[in-house]
Amino acid sequence: MYYVSGFYCPGCGSQRAVHLLLHGNISGAFRFNPLMVLTLPILIYGLGITVANWIFGTSYRFMLFYSKLFIFGFFGLAILYWVLRNLPFYPFNLLAPPS
């Protein structure tokens, strides 16, 4: 997205952040994409419930994913993050991935 428009999308830097997380560098991953790093525990928990349901034949749900408030709130947060990480002045320029 950055090469086409000159703007960082909410997911820019996620691949490098995942790479750094897999190597144990949490602060480096946070530097590349803080939103992804902060969202990852919720996603891992939801995935864990799904895998447990598949293994044990249960039907538990992570009710947060079914909340309209959470879905619209997270969508709004992602849009706000997208706008803020493209502002060219401090402290918002810290949200952009390092060059």
Side-chain angles (χ1 to χ4, degrees), residues 41-66:
I42 295 171
L43 293 176
I44 290 171
Y45 183 70
L47 180 65
I49 289 175
T50 303
V51 169
N53 285 335
W54 181 71
I55 291 172
F56 300 114
T58 57
S59 60
Y60 296 112
R61 292 186 176 181
F62 187 37
M63 295 310 293
L64 185 64
F65 291 152
Y66 296 94

Side-chain angles (χ1 to χ4, degrees), residues 75-96:
F75 183 68
L77 178 68
I79 290 174
L80 180 66
Y81 176 68
W82 190 357
V83 170
L84 293 179
R85 81 182 319 201
N86 286 294
L87 294 177
F89 47 86
Y90 184 83
F92 304 113
N93 60 351
L94 296 175
L95 294 174

Side-chain angles (χ1 to χ4, degrees), residues 4-90:
V4 174
S5 67
F7 295 109
Y8 295 108
C9 69
C12 284
S14 293
Q15 184 177 6
R16 290 182 184 175
V18 168
H19 176 80
L20 289 170
L21 281 174
L22 291 174
H23 287 90
N25 188 348
I26 296 172
S27 64
F30 194 81
R31 177 69 183 104
F32 276 98
N33 194 324
L35 181 64
M36 191 271 313
V37 173
L38 294 174
T39 304
L40 208 54
I42 295 171
L43 293 176
I44 290 171
Y45 183 70
L47 180 65
I49 289 175
T50 303
V51 169
N53 285 335
W54 181 71
I55 291 172
F56 300 114
T58 57
S59 60
Y60 296 112
R61 292 186 176 181
F62 187 37
M63 295 310 293
L64 185 64
F65 291 152
Y66 296 94
S67 166
K68 286 185 182 181
L69 179 64
F70 174 75
I71 293 169
F72 289 123
F74 188 79
F75 183 68
L77 178 68
I79 290 174
L80 180 66
Y81 176 68
W82 190 357
V83 170
L84 293 179
R85 81 182 319 201
N86 286 294
L87 294 177
F89 47 86
Y90 184 83

